Amino acid sequence: MDMSFRDLVRAPKVELPGGSARWVEESLRLLIGHFGTGSLRQPAVVPGEFVPAGYDGSEAAARDVCLKVSERMGIPSERIRFSFQLEKVVEAGQLLGATIVDAYVAQTHPALRGAAPEDIAAVRKYSRLLGATSDDRIEELLEDDGLLPEIQRFAFLDFLTELVRCREIAAEPDPARQAELEQQPDRPDPGTAGSEASAAGRWTDLTYCLPGVELLPGYTAVMLGSDLLTDPTVLIAAASHELGHQVLLSSEMPGGAGPLREPLTDLYAVLHGFGIAHANAALDETTLGTPTVETFGYLGERAVAEALAVYRFRQHRLIRDGPLLPEWHQALDPEPRARFVARLDDLAGGPPTVLGW
């Protein structure tokens, strides 16, 4: 069924098998079955109450919020490197990645020597990164910088992405399809790193070994865009999502590292009480009707609201903490609030006020 633009921007960013309502309910059941009901016994997080009074949008204040998110999720934070310069890390990583592409073709990097001739030829012929370095800009970005371990990982993974792309083009026997692959969009502009759902934040393990990359055993990194500093609700949503990766990727939870890992990670954050932040951050209503509509997350506003209703329904059945329709639902923006109430009615079999819950 065709959706209007307004429906589309509120919908999940990826297709959810069986539809959003079914996928959300079944996935939440699996998460609770795997991780237990402890998170349901805590009250939902209301952003306005969770953010410390006097929040000033500084990196120090944002880090304090991230530490609170980590504590709420039960994740030790001593070895997590929080930073708020994702755009800089992405740009520096892309520039440094281009230098690795150059070194790969020239075979001047010790860790890259011995590459297959056909792979070198593919990169030489099809790479759009050859010669795309800017030594002055790299030096500027890396000067007095404490983010080198993160930047190095972006750089090497950027190189690997380009290598796979060139291999795929070279191996394609159909000229038309080969030309199509060559014309596919290039890497995202690092300047957009804070506005796209997939680029508002990144999580990475700083332990795993990559050639020429500094190791920080036991450390992980949560990198967030600088524009999140001004909006603590989006900051909470982004931090809870990225920290969710830390748990899911190291667990044996089915799907934690699969193709639906991103919406599942959103759902994991909802289970830990951050559904209000995710629902309110999902769509910036003020950007509707503008050339760039700003959205956040992978579940989308409507699926997050539905997930929040399932979360509340299960929470209430477990602890019976007053009315089924909680006071905190007033903290939701109007659209997700209406969706939340409607889905809660469906789950309860009728309006909560009528049932006396």
Side-chain angles (χ1 to χ4, degrees), residues 67 78 154 302:
L67 291 174
E78 294 81 7
F154 268 75
R302 291 184 175 175

Side-chain angles (χ1 to χ4, degrees), residues 68-87:
K68 286 192 67 176
V69 172
S70 181
E71 180 181 10
R72 169 62 188 253
M73 298 179 81
I75 302 172
S77 58
E78 294 81 7
R79 289 177 174 264
I80 301 175
R81 287 164 56 96
F82 292 103
S83 62
F84 308 93
Q85 302 178 57
L86 179 59
E87 303 91 338

Side-chain angles (χ1 to χ4, degrees), residues 5-335:
F5 177 74
R6 286 179 175 266
D7 288 334
L8 187 63
V9 296
R10 299 180 194 278
K13 302 302 184 294
V14 295
E15 184 176 354
L16 301 176
S20 64
R22 177 180 173 183
W23 184 89
V24 161
E25 194 162 0
E26 291 184 355
S27 297
L28 199 56
R29 175 177 55 80
L30 289 173
L31 284 170
I32 293 171
H34 189 85
F35 293 104
T37 60
S39 59
L40 291 173
R41 297 180 183 277
Q42 300 184 79
V45 171
V46 178
E49 300 171 2
F50 186 81
V51 177
Y55 178 83
D56 61 4
S58 65
E59 291 192 8
R63 186 175 189 278
D64 286 343
V65 171
C66 290
L67 291 174
K68 286 192 67 176
V69 172
S70 181
E71 180 181 10
R72 169 62 188 253
M73 298 179 81
I75 302 172
S77 58
E78 294 81 7
R79 289 177 174 264
I80 301 175
R81 287 164 56 96
F82 292 103
S83 62
F84 308 93
Q85 302 178 57
L86 179 59
E87 303 91 338
K88 178 179 179 179
V89 173
V90 171
E91 182 183 0
Q94 289 184 353
L95 290 172
L96 199 57
T99 70
I100 299 176
V101 172
D102 290 342
Y104 179 79
V105 169
Q107 289 289 278
T108 56
H109 194 303
L112 302 175
R113 288 175 187 164
E118 60 271 24
D119 288 342
I120 296 174
V123 173
R124 180 179 288 114
K125 183 173 182 180
Y126 297 112
S127 177
R128 291 176 287 195
L129 305 185
L130 277 174
T133 59
S134 174
D135 292 339
D136 291 342
R137 180 58 176 157
I138 291 176
E139 289 181 10
E140 179 185 345
L141 290 167
L142 296 183
E143 185 178 5
D144 298 324
D145 201 298
L147 296 171
L148 186 59
E150 290 86 344
I151 291 170
Q152 287 177 326
R153 276 163 179 76
F154 268 75
F156 201 84
L157 292 175
D158 209 49
F159 156 70
L160 291 177
T161 299
E162 183 69 358
L163 175 60
V164 170
R165 171 185 169 273
C166 294
R167 281 175 172 173
E168 185 179 1
I169 295 171
E172 176 55 56
D174 181 1
R177 173 59 180 159
Q178 190 178 65
E180 182 182 330
L181 290 172
E182 284 192 74
Q183 294 303 315
Q184 284 182 347
D186 206 344
R187 303 170 303 180
D189 180 345
T192 67
S195 60
E196 296 296 331
S198 61
R202 303 281 182 90
W203 176 91
T204 190
D205 184 353
L206 299 175
T207 298
Y208 66 87
C209 185
L210 291 172
V213 173
E214 179 183 354
L215 296 180
L216 290 178
Y219 280 84
T220 59
V222 171
M223 298 159 282
L224 303 173
S226 62
D227 60 343
L228 271 61
L229 296 172
T230 62
D231 191 334
T233 296
V234 182
L235 175 65
I236 291 170
S240 60
H241 176 92
E242 299 309 326
L243 287 166
H245 280 307
Q246 176 143 330
V247 176
L248 291 174
L249 290 172
S250 62
S251 74
E252 297 181 356
M253 169 70 195
L260 293 174
R261 63 186 179 277
E262 296 293 357
L264 187 67
T265 307
D266 277 353
L267 195 60
Y268 183 80
V270 173
L271 177 60
H272 281 77
F274 295 102
I276 298 172
H278 275 260
N280 289 350
L283 174 64
D284 183 350
E285 296 273 359
T286 65
T287 64
L288 287 174
T290 69
T292 304
V293 176
E294 294 186 11
T295 61
F296 171 85
Y298 295 85
L299 280 179
E301 181 187 83
R302 291 184 175 175
V304 170
E306 291 172 355
L308 189 57
V310 179
Y311 156 86
R312 175 55 189 164
F313 186 73
R314 284 182 166 271
Q315 181 185 58
H316 187 265
R317 286 203 306 180
L318 181 67
I319 60 177
R320 297 287 176 170
D321 57 341
L324 173 61
L325 187 65
E327 184 177 347
W328 54 252
H329 89 286
Q330 296 291 344
L332 288 163
D333 289 344
E335 284 282 346

